[in-house]
Amino acid sequence: MAIIVQKYGGSSVADAERIKRVAERIVAARKAGHEVVVVVSAMGDTTDELLDLASQVSPVPPGRELDMLLTAGERISMALLAMAITNLGFEARSYTGSQAGVLTTSAHGRARIIDVTPGRLRGALDEGAIAIVAGFQGVSQDTKDITTLGRGGSDTTAVALAAALKADVCEIYTDVDGVFTADPRIVPNARKIDQVTYEEMLEMAACGAKVLMLRCVEYARRSRIPIHVRSSYSQKPGTMVTGAMEDLALEQALITGVAHDRSEAKITIVGVPDEPGIAAQIFQTVAGAEINLDMIVQNVSTEGTGRTDISFTLPKADGPTAMAALNKASDLIKFKTLLYDDHIGKVSLIGAGMRSHPGVAAKFFAALGQAGLNIEMISTSEIRVSVVCRDTDLDAAVRAVHDAFELGGDEEAVVYAGTGR
Amino acid sequence: MAIIVQKYGGSSVADAERIKRVAERIVAARKAGHEVVVVVSAMGDTTDELLDLASQVSPVPPGRELDMLLTAGERISMALLAMAITNLGFEARSYTGSQAGVLTTSAHGRARIIDVTPGRLRGALDEGAIAIVAGFQGVSQDTKDITTLGRGGSDTTAVALAAALKADVCEIYTDVDGVFTADPRIVPNARKIDQVTYEEMLEMAACGAKVLMLRCVEYARRSRIPIHVRSSYSQKPGTMVTGAMEDLALEQALITGVAHDRSEAKITIVGVPDEPGIAAQIFQTVAGAEINLDMIVQNVSTEGTGRTDISFTLPKADGPTAMAALNKASDLIKFKTLLYDDHIGKVSLIGAGMRSHPGVAAKFFAALGQAGLNIEMISTSEIRVSVVCRDTDLDAAVRAVHDAFELGGDEEAVVYAGTGR
């Protein structure tokens, strides 16, 4: 008998029919003799509808109240799911994040899990019940106020509960069959990956692969919980995200896949004095505005001028804040101009195998060159190569790299609609 | 500076515009220097929509999960109301029933309040904030599960919080101007009552006046909290429900008003043996099915037969259960037939003054007789006379009694649409 944590996203519970189908799937796992804990997101568009209501009463709703409002979404879906399971003859009890013991920081809208005290869940399992838990939410350890975890929060809830309950696996049900070698909407013959390491999955997530959020994979890696990403529409096995390199078989593929990201913008600071401490000044300014930078490139100093240019990428949503912070600091940084460009795309090749195969980066750049694509910025890690290009070139870049490394399968990938939270 | 508890029903917060209007009203009380706690119901049709969803996933949803589901309704309205108040420049914090310290029995769907521990609310008031509390809900003292209080629950929440916080007044905002001498939809010149005792209000509520629920008035009487029933659409004072008889001025009106009730049915048990213990047997049978009886009438034994008929009224919704229970007990009760009649109406005249004026009942029956209306059952208390008639005669009966006691005012009452919970 195993302990299984299953997580279903918003599109999997979008209406009564889908909730009933998910209930059958949960009951099947219970019938197979497992102890089952289910984490569920809000139904389909509920969150957007609640946000719309909030905007009608207040232009800047306070974070505490916005969290109180949004958590009504999971309350509805989890109660309905528990009812549907009960109707199939199995006992199910729903728990809010607070009742499930999800203790967080008090940063409303982007709280982090501090601790999980799953006493009530353990009790429910001991009595033979299926426990249904609201994803995406918790309770502040300090203020006892209701909090939400921000984007990808339900996945993180699932992994955190799996860790606290020492579960055998955390199954993340989604609307795709697993993690693919590239986005099947761009590369029709993209192949489902059977197994991937936490490290590779972290790079994939950081580079724009949307199927799992970074913090959920981080949490799983720290607590050594295997994640099984799979489709709620089929019975096929999905992608297993497990242990570090050394745990995997030797025949591990050289390359995991190609990720892409359209969500970033680029800021270039032109004519910065080429002096020690200036780069630190710039990045302290941006970090002070609570913005996470991604790629950073500094040009060689233009001869004779004593000045250089520094470019970095950041989430588009943070662009205006960063520009304002830099403009405000112009006395300190003494740049000539600021350039803002939100028409960029990033393509990344990820694979633990490239650590021991030096030719990978060369082949990657060659593929882009042969496709006639211009490279604007480059960044690498031990198991990743990323470049920034024009956003209009992004799809072609993804296909060129995917083809060059022969990552494709024989059949076309199935693409479903919808997203979860 | 007074402590004021305000309660707004579902129709008062049915959309963003109304929520903003209610927020202004709350802020006005805060600006006047009062400490304000607000109890709010779910928006408009939310509860019906959630019940509809529940019926789509399960024909008989478990009570625990139904309560979890329905409490999402107040969560939404209270968070939106807190946002709207914050937007007006005042601090507001919303609290679930559980957070507000509303401890209940564990009878899902009809929990009773055991205790209120308003520490967090008191803290919020001390810090100058307005506290918004979800009506209709609490947390089970034993199981720590979320509960709902059933019909009229939000009014009861408001009075319970007012008692726990030693509030000066509990204002119940509704869609009518107050308590009327009769339903203005039946009697156009019905008059708003300025002041009424708990005792009279209890009789009014028990006899079908819908503006306040029985248990809320009971709670207010026990804890001596004045209730001010008033309209959320106007600034006019409404009806004050206060102290017992002796606290009121001597010039108190003879009669409070006329109440009516269409929600009851009548069961007649024909040919019961006229023996000691049979009536007890009947009413134990019905009580065993957890049904509350209202009026009970036993005819004089038909001469020579040794048998009699017993009639009683009960909520229509309980009719089928009661009939089944009685049929099942036919061996014990030995009746001849059971008759079920759900085409009855009840009209009641209430007034503390009638205690010392013996002519009231006579005048009441005379008014009905002159209007040509047939009386089927009679029941009286110290401050009330009620009769059962055909449901088709009910409106005429209400008007006849209202006229006979000259209860009408000079102007027509304003009738608004909608109901609260």
Side-chain angles (χ1 to χ4, degrees), chain B residues 1 47 63 111 114 125 148:
Chain B
M1 187 173 78
T47 304
I114 297 171
L125 295 178
T148 66

Short mmCIF file of all heavy atoms in Angstrom, two decimals, chain B residues 1 47 63 111 114 125 148:
data_model
loop_
_atom_site.label_atom_id
_atom_site.label_comp_id
_atom_site.label_asym_id
_atom_site.label_seq_id
_atom_site.Cartn_x
_atom_site.Cartn_y
_atom_site.Cartn_z
N MET B 1 -19.03 56.91 22.17
CA MET B 1 -18.73 55.92 21.13
C MET B 1 -19.41 54.60 21.44
O MET B 1 -19.24 54.04 22.52
CB MET B 1 -17.21 55.70 21.05
CG MET B 1 -16.83 54.82 19.89
SD MET B 1 -15.03 54.74 19.67
CE MET B 1 -14.59 53.59 20.97
N THR B 47 -25.91 31.29 -3.22
CA THR B 47 -26.24 30.04 -2.53
C THR B 47 -27.00 29.09 -3.44
O THR B 47 -26.70 27.89 -3.50
CB THR B 47 -27.07 30.36 -1.26
OG1 THR B 47 -26.31 31.27 -0.46
CG2 THR B 47 -27.34 29.10 -0.47
N GLY B 63 -23.51 16.40 4.47
CA GLY B 63 -23.69 17.68 5.13
C GLY B 63 -22.39 18.43 5.35
O GLY B 63 -22.32 19.65 5.17
N ALA B 111 -26.62 23.89 12.46
CA ALA B 111 -25.83 23.97 13.69
C ALA B 111 -26.35 25.08 14.59
O ALA B 111 -26.93 26.05 14.12
CB ALA B 111 -24.36 24.21 13.33
N ILE B 114 -22.89 27.59 20.19
CA ILE B 114 -22.64 27.20 21.58
C ILE B 114 -21.96 28.34 22.32
O ILE B 114 -22.28 28.65 23.46
CB ILE B 114 -21.72 25.96 21.64
CG1 ILE B 114 -22.39 24.76 20.98
CG2 ILE B 114 -21.35 25.64 23.09
CD1 ILE B 114 -21.46 23.57 20.81
N LEU B 125 -11.02 45.83 16.26
CA LEU B 125 -11.67 47.07 16.67
C LEU B 125 -10.68 47.95 17.45
O LEU B 125 -10.62 49.17 17.24
CB LEU B 125 -12.90 46.78 17.53
CG LEU B 125 -14.06 46.05 16.85
CD1 LEU B 125 -15.18 45.78 17.85
CD2 LEU B 125 -14.60 46.84 15.66
N THR B 148 -22.84 25.27 9.01
CA THR B 148 -23.74 26.40 8.74
C THR B 148 -24.93 26.32 9.68
O THR B 148 -25.27 25.26 10.19
CB THR B 148 -24.23 26.43 7.28
OG1 THR B 148 -25.05 25.28 7.04
CG2 THR B 148 -23.06 26.44 6.30
#
